[in-house]
Amino acid sequence: MEKLIITSTVDSTMSFPSNPYNPTPKGVDHVAAEYVRTIDAGAVVCHLHGPYTVDKEIQPDGTKLSDLDIPGWGRLRDQILAKRDTIIQYGIANGRFPQRKQLMADFAPDMISTCFNAHDECFDYEPGKEPVELYGLHSRDELQEYCEVTTKLGVKIEVESFHMGGVWNAMRMVEKGFLPTPVYTTFFFGWKGGCWTPPTPKAVQYMADHCPKNFNWNTSVMDPEMGWTVVASAIAAGGHIRVGMEDNPFITPGEYARTNAELVEKCVRIAKDIGRPLASVDEARKIIGLPAKPKR
């Protein structure tokens, strides 16, 4: 079985706003230090949320998305890379496309998350809290432009697939020659909204069984009760894993992890218990299809 790639994602703001250990409110310096701790725990990809705000209302064009503080993202990236070798993956796929193009041009990452299905998310995980709702249609024309821009800038797309329609759109881009292989896609389980896929081992196996051969698949699960069951199922099925306070801040149901590194460490223990070795940064680059980092 292929070595396991672990991605860390540390921002709990939209998903679990009551999380007392969410590093984001403490500022970019604290978030960067949190990512460094996850790298030391075994993560080789950092899925970054730099500073951003979310639209309060649906906009005239029908979207409800995020605005990015581009210099803040650059500071976060640079602080991490100054201390550790890692793969930088920009998140907030619900950010506006013009801003994300500017972000890549100004502060190039290794990868950028790109939602290959419509954005229809409802962050409704805390009873009594007003949920964050996000809406946006990512047309195939937009996806083609994402492919063209990232190819020009030397950035690898992380295809976000909330259901198999995202995989179909990615296959379409591959067939038309816009998306290079191997494709790296993340399957999302338990993310509430109109693109929901259930957080169950059967759903993991279904997505894995229908994943094209020239795709590598990663796993994100946002469900406090089933989160670790899905993680274990994905590791056993040969998938890669994304863990952290964005997806599931609980080390066990109802008990918050105090750091994101604790969540990475639990993932590492599960992998070791079933005999699956971890990928190094260089090995992850090769699996994902990224160029080798130049030797200094």
Side-chain angles (χ1 to χ4, degrees):
M1 190 179 292
E2 197 169 57
K3 289 187 176 181
L4 176 66
I5 297 170
I6 299 178
T7 298
S8 63
T9 178
V10 310
D11 174 28
S12 201
T13 305
M14 279 194 282
S15 49
F16 297 90
S18 296
N19 175 11
Y21 304 109
N22 179 20
T24 306
K26 298 180 181 179
V28 168
D29 294 353
H30 192 86
V31 173
E34 188 78 350
Y35 275 112
V36 169
R37 283 190 284 270
T38 68
I39 295 166
D40 292 343
V44 292
V45 180
C46 291
H47 179 89
L48 299 194
H49 284 191
Y52 65 94
T53 58
V54 177
D55 292 338
K56 293 183 178 180
E57 305 289 344
I58 295 178
Q59 302 301 297
D61 63 0
T63 64
K64 190 170 184 290
L65 299 170
S66 297
D67 287 311
L68 311 181
D69 171 0
I70 292 174
W73 285 68
R75 291 197 305 274
L76 177 59
R77 182 204 68 165
D78 292 348
Q79 286 187 34
I80 296 168
L81 292 178
K83 295 184 176 180
R84 297 292 185 274
D85 179 22
T86 190
I87 295 167
I88 296 293
Q89 180 187 96
Y90 285 162
I92 306 291
N94 55 66
R96 287 189 164 77
F97 189 25
Q99 290 183 332
R100 301 189 92 217
K101 285 190 285 187
Q102 188 64 49
L103 177 62
M104 286 188 284
D106 289 354
F107 303 104
D110 297 290
M111 304 176 73
I112 190 165
S113 61
T114 307
C115 191
F116 268 59
N117 44 251
H119 250 108
D120 183 347
E121 295 178 72
C122 180
F123 291 90
D124 188 20
Y125 300 91
E126 295 187 352
K129 293 282 187 179
E130 189 67 24
V132 175
E133 308 254 16
L134 294 168
Y135 302 101
L137 176 64
H138 304 293
S139 68
R140 278 178 282 280
D141 286 342
E142 179 186 298
L143 296 179
Q144 178 179 325
E145 189 177 355
Y146 256 115
C147 293
E148 292 169 341
V149 169
T150 53
T151 297
K152 180 180 178 181
L153 295 174
V155 176
K156 178 83 173 180
I157 285 180
E158 177 225 0
V159 171
E160 292 195 345
S161 300
F162 284 71
H163 50 65
M164 290 307 295
V167 173
W168 188 92
N169 275 334
M171 292 169 59
R172 176 80 166 180
M173 293 298 120
V174 171
E175 290 166 1
K176 292 172 72 68
F178 297 119
L179 183 63
T181 56
V183 174
Y184 196 79
T185 187
T186 299
F187 296 148
F188 288 77
F189 302 94
W191 284 61
K192 295 180 179 180
C195 295
W196 179 79
T197 292
T200 64
K202 285 186 178 181
V204 171
Q205 197 60 54
Y206 169 82
M207 299 290 271
D209 287 346
H210 292 84
C211 190
K213 293 186 182 300
N214 55 350
F215 282 49
N216 292 305
W217 61 279
N218 186 38
T219 309
S220 168
V221 54
M222 191 177 289
D223 188 279
E225 296 299 322
M226 290 296 294
W228 289 107
T229 299
V230 169
V231 165
S233 298
I235 294 173
H240 302 292
I241 297 297
R242 182 178 116 175
V243 292
M245 290 182 178
E246 179 186 3
D247 297 355
N248 177 22
F250 300 101
I251 196 72
T252 59
E255 180 187 353
Y256 283 109
R258 291 179 176 269
T259 69
N260 283 273
E262 290 181 21
L263 301 169
V264 174
E265 288 164 355
K266 182 167 181 175
C267 185
V268 169
R269 289 196 299 272
I270 294 170
K272 288 184 176 179
D273 284 348
I274 67 171
R276 187 167 176 193
L278 304 181
S280 67
V281 175
D282 289 341
E283 290 167 334
R285 285 183 175 276
K286 186 173 181 180
I287 292 167
I288 293 168
L290 292 169
K293 190 172 182 178
K295 301 294 184 182
R296 291 184 178 180

